[in-house]
Amino acid sequence: MCLAVPMKITGIDGFNATCEAKGIQREVSLFMLQGEPVAIGDHVLIHVGYAIQKISAEEPALPGTCSTKCSSMHELAICQALIEQVQRVARDNAARRVISVTVSVGPLSGVEAKLLEHAYPLAAAGTVAEHAQLVVVTVPVRVRCRTCKAESEAAANRLLCGSCNDWHVDVIAGEEMLLQRVEIETADEPVH
Amino acid sequence: MCRDCGCSLGPAAARAPFAAQPATKGRIESIEVITAILDENDRVATHNRAHFDGHGVLAVNLMSSPGSGKTSLLEATIKALQGELKVAVIEGDLATENDAARIRACGVPAIQITTGNACHLDAQMVHDALDDLPLDGLDVLFVENVGNLVCPASFDLGVHRNLTLLSVPEGDDKPAKYPVMFRGADLALITKVDLLPHIEEFSVGRARDSLREVGFRGDIIELTRRGGPGFEAWLGWLRSEVAARRAAAA
Ligand SMILES: Nc1nc2c(ncn2[C@@H]2O[C@H](COP(=O)(O)OP(=O)(O)OP(=O)(O)O)[C@@H](O)[C@H]2O)c(=O)[nH]1
Ligand SMILES: [Mg+2]
Ligand SMILES: [Zn+2]
Ligand SMILES: [Zn+2]
Ligand SMILES: [Zn+2]
């Protein structure tokens, strides 16, 4: 789906790095390379702002394709938004830790539950929700027919009425991407 | 900081580090929340739309797989509308400056988004780009999204219209494979139809059926950047959208 471009690291500041290729400078994140140490002068593959892989300097400077890392980055962005919300809830309720986070996701939201679960620990690292369990409830697509008024389940790429096959339908479920519930432990009851 | 309205929508705030708490026993609570996970993006998107509306500018987001012809369509459109509509472009190609350079060569301003760290644009990136782009006097602002049929679909940018391009070489089954992207569009463009004689596997009828089956309800225009009736129909769509924006702003 997406292209990855080889660049050379010219500076490192925590999880952020400056990279250079063909005279172009870019700020990139080293977030996806945790566990793979990199240094100034190393060559890395950059996929739209993230260094995703260390490569040798001899590798041809041709853009490579990336699909798995790309989709998990999409879900990472969504998990980061989710963690922002969870942190707000935790703060408002004086939580000392978050035990679980329940989200509901429909196939028409464009997000894959599996990838969300994969990306969650990365986004939650270092936050109050770090060890929280992520519960993803998947909601099936449901449509209501404008012609025969029937309600039925449908596939994301075949939004047709289950009883009369008409495509004049309204989607009534399956688009959601919601934070449903946050289970927390509060600090206001010390041990006796 | 938004120069235009003085709003304080700066770049996303850094996450506060979490300090570990002493190991006392607390109370367990379950808190019902029920908010859209991307509500912060949606809030910024609404804010962007207010910017566009305040200036009577039509904002249009172009989405497609890599290479479906987004930049080529913009180049041809800018040339065709020279002297008629004032156009600017926000370029979402995060890896190179190529597309922005191509747009600038057509004589219109192009802002390259460089702050992104994902495979899609979000509302905040568009808002940041607006800092460098005066909207006064503009008729149309195009946003060329990152070439990708998956990720951009989840993020409202605050534009008025979303367009999805499907090029003939990609195959007519793309709507069925990427339903979310096509379903959310207001207009679908089947591009590179000059190649139809060479690619007999592509059936425009099947592409249209597939679009209907994923719930796409907008207009479908078949075109090539080389001009012709489809390209004129696209310009006509754009002109009527601009007129509607102006009427709404008046
Ligand atoms: N035959 C034909 N080729 C086209 C047409 N439009 C674009 N192309 C070619 O398709 C290729 C990709 O076009 P671009 O306009 O760069 O596509 P894009 O969607 O902007 O690509 P990315 O920004 O990389 O995702 C180029 O080689 C164009 O010359 C068309 O109408 N007909
Ligand atoms: Mg392009
Ligand atoms: Zn991607
Ligand atoms: Zn029916
Ligand atoms: Zn603003």
Side-chain angles (χ1 to χ4, degrees), chain A residues 15-94:
Chain A
F15 277 140
N16 297 314
T18 343
C19 287
E20 191 265 344
K22 295 182 191 156
I24 296 174
Q25 300 275 345
R26 278 283 183 276
E27 294 287 320
V28 307
S29 168
L30 300 174
F31 205 69
M32 306 288 286
L33 281 185
Q34 292 180 48
E36 197 175 346
V38 286
I40 292 175
D42 280 350
H43 291 250
V44 283
L45 273 184
I46 305 299
H47 175 51
V48 284
Y50 280 93
I52 56 173
Q53 197 185 319
K54 202 162 128 180
I55 53 171
S56 71
E58 291 79 44
E59 272 179 60
L62 272 178
T65 53
C66 123
S67 56
T68 44
K69 290 248 181 172
C70 146
S71 27
S72 57
M73 255 184 298
H74 172 211
E75 272 75 11
L76 180 60
I78 288 167
C79 278
Q80 279 164 343
L82 171 67
I83 289 294
E84 297 288 335
Q85 291 190 349
V86 171
Q87 284 183 298
R88 207 175 313 135
V89 173
R91 212 179 309 124
D92 292 350
N93 293 279

Side-chain angles (χ1 to χ4, degrees), chain A residues 1-2 26 48 50 85 96 109 123 127 157-159 167 175 177 179-182 184-186 188-189, chain B residues 15 22 24-27 29-31 33-37 39 94 117-118 148-149 154 176 183 213 217:
Chain A
M1 208 64 253
C2 300
R26 278 283 183 276
V48 284
Y50 280 93
Q85 291 190 349
R96 52 205 281 269
S109 70
T127 76
N157 59 3
R158 269 184 77 80
L159 298 180
W167 57 262
E175 291 179 296
M177 195 204 295
L179 169 59
Q180 291 279 6
R181 195 174 312 111
V182 181
I184 57 164
E185 184 183 327
T186 58
D188 54 13
E189 218 169 276
Chain B
R15 277 193 283 153
T24 49
K25 206 163 165 50
R27 193 156 37 87
E29 275 178 37
S30 182
I31 299 157
V33 189
I34 317 199
T35 49
I37 292 175
D39 72 342
L94 301 161
N117 51 10
N148 181 331
L149 276 180
S154 305
R183 173 170 182 264
E213 287 189 0
R217 296 290 174 263

Side-chain angles (χ1 to χ4, degrees), chain A residues 145 147-150 161 163-166:
Chain A
C145 181
T147 311
C148 79
K149 311 285 181 236
C161 171
S163 61
C164 77
N165 231 24
D166 196 326

